Amino acid sequence: MTTYGQFCPVAKAMELLDERWTILVVRELLLGSRHFNELRRGVPKMSPALLTKRLRTLERAGVIRRSDVGGRSVYTLTEKGEELEEIVTALSAWGIRWIGELGDADLDPHLLMWDIHRSMPIERWPRRRAVVEFGFSDVVGKARSWWLVVSDGVPQVCDFDPGYGVDATVATDLRTLTEVWRGDIDWQNALAEQLITITAPTEVRREIPSWIGQSSTAAVPRPA
């Protein structure tokens, strides 16, 4: 752990929070991840060993608690940890407003699809089981194709064909869908400029943008 040797409260807080990945682990817990594998999906480039280490550090600091439920470890934020929500929300808004440029290394289909599946407006999906397939033209290998499945109000994201009938197919590139999700561009312009192509019956094709939506930070005002 970094030690600044200052009595300043900001310095003391950062001694815990500025280690790499720590605040992102907190973000995942705030977004509802409870199990180790769920946390891993929210920080896919973080090694399992480092995630374990960060969880232990946060537990010792009283930010999270670990309990055993049915033989599985469950991680939840304590009152101390929940107070970080305002900080994470403010960082998110500041980052989307002022740090807008995305490099190729920032694009990750695993994280994008995981984030979409847990944040999209489920209430707008049909009451029956519905499936949307995504194809990324610029991604090579298995991560090129993804499926979102909503059944009985429960969303799932799959990197393999779940074997159900597909209601719509969304064809695009990874950067475009990432920028739409972040709110850098909107669905209307992406479709008008044919950056995204939706193949589906007309009534379903019109609904796909509202099924998927955009992230919570998409509404944050940006500099002119």
Side-chain angles (χ1 to χ4, degrees):
M1 181 182 296
T2 301
T3 302
Y4 291 106
Q6 293 189 9
F7 63 82
C8 168
V10 174
K12 298 306 295 180
M14 294 308 291
E15 287 181 356
L16 172 65
L17 297 175
D18 78 344
E19 287 191 293
R20 193 179 185 200
W21 296 107
T22 296
I23 204 70
L24 298 185
V25 173
V26 172
R27 176 200 67 189
E28 291 306 302
L29 290 161
L30 287 167
L31 289 172
S33 293
R34 293 293 176 263
H35 300 287
F36 190 86
N37 286 339
E38 292 174 342
L39 291 165
R40 282 274 294 135
R41 297 195 74 170
V43 283
K45 296 181 181 179
M46 185 181 188
S47 74
L50 185 55
L51 175 55
T52 298
K53 181 179 179 181
R54 291 291 183 267
L55 289 170
R56 287 174 178 168
T57 298
L58 289 170
E59 186 179 4
R60 286 195 300 269
V63 173
I64 67 173
R65 66 173 62 90
R66 181 176 63 86
S67 55
D68 187 277
V69 178
R72 298 181 67 191
S73 292
V74 177
Y75 299 93
T76 53
L77 290 162
T78 62
E79 180 182 1
K80 182 177 180 179
E82 288 173 351
E83 278 197 29
L84 292 170
E85 182 173 9
E86 291 185 14
I87 295 171
V88 173
T89 300
L91 281 172
S92 180
W94 186 86
I96 200 75
R97 183 179 293 118
W98 298 110
I99 314 294
E101 185 175 347
L102 294 177
D104 290 341
D106 299 322
L107 305 176
D108 186 334
H110 299 84
L111 177 57
L112 174 63
M113 298 307 298
W114 178 253
D115 201 33
I116 288 175
H117 111 280
R118 66 181 173 187
S119 304
M120 60 190 184
I122 301 301
E123 69 279 1
R124 301 199 176 196
W125 286 64
R127 295 299 172 259
R128 59 176 174 79
R129 180 171 58 208
V131 181
V132 178
E133 179 180 0
F134 291 77
F136 294 117
S137 59
D138 55 340
V139 176
V140 178
K142 182 181 178 182
R144 182 184 182 92
S145 299
W146 294 81
W147 290 260
L148 288 177
V149 182
V150 175
S151 181
D152 294 326
V154 178
Q156 290 181 292
V157 59
C158 304
D159 58 0
F160 57 89
D161 188 342
Y164 305 128
V166 172
D167 293 88
T169 299
V170 177
T172 185
D173 59 83
L174 181 56
R175 178 176 290 276
T176 294
L177 189 59
T178 301
E179 291 179 343
V180 168
W181 181 243
R182 282 168 40 99
D184 300 324
I185 57 177
D186 60 32
W187 276 98
Q188 184 177 357
N189 287 335
L191 290 167
E193 296 176 17
Q194 298 185 327
L195 298 173
I196 295 178
T197 301
I198 300 174
T199 304
T202 302
E203 62 274 14
V204 174
R205 186 169 65 249
R206 290 172 179 167
E207 293 298 321
I208 292 299
S210 68
W211 288 10
I212 307 305
Q214 293 178 294
S215 73
S216 60
T217 56
V220 173
R222 319 293 171 88

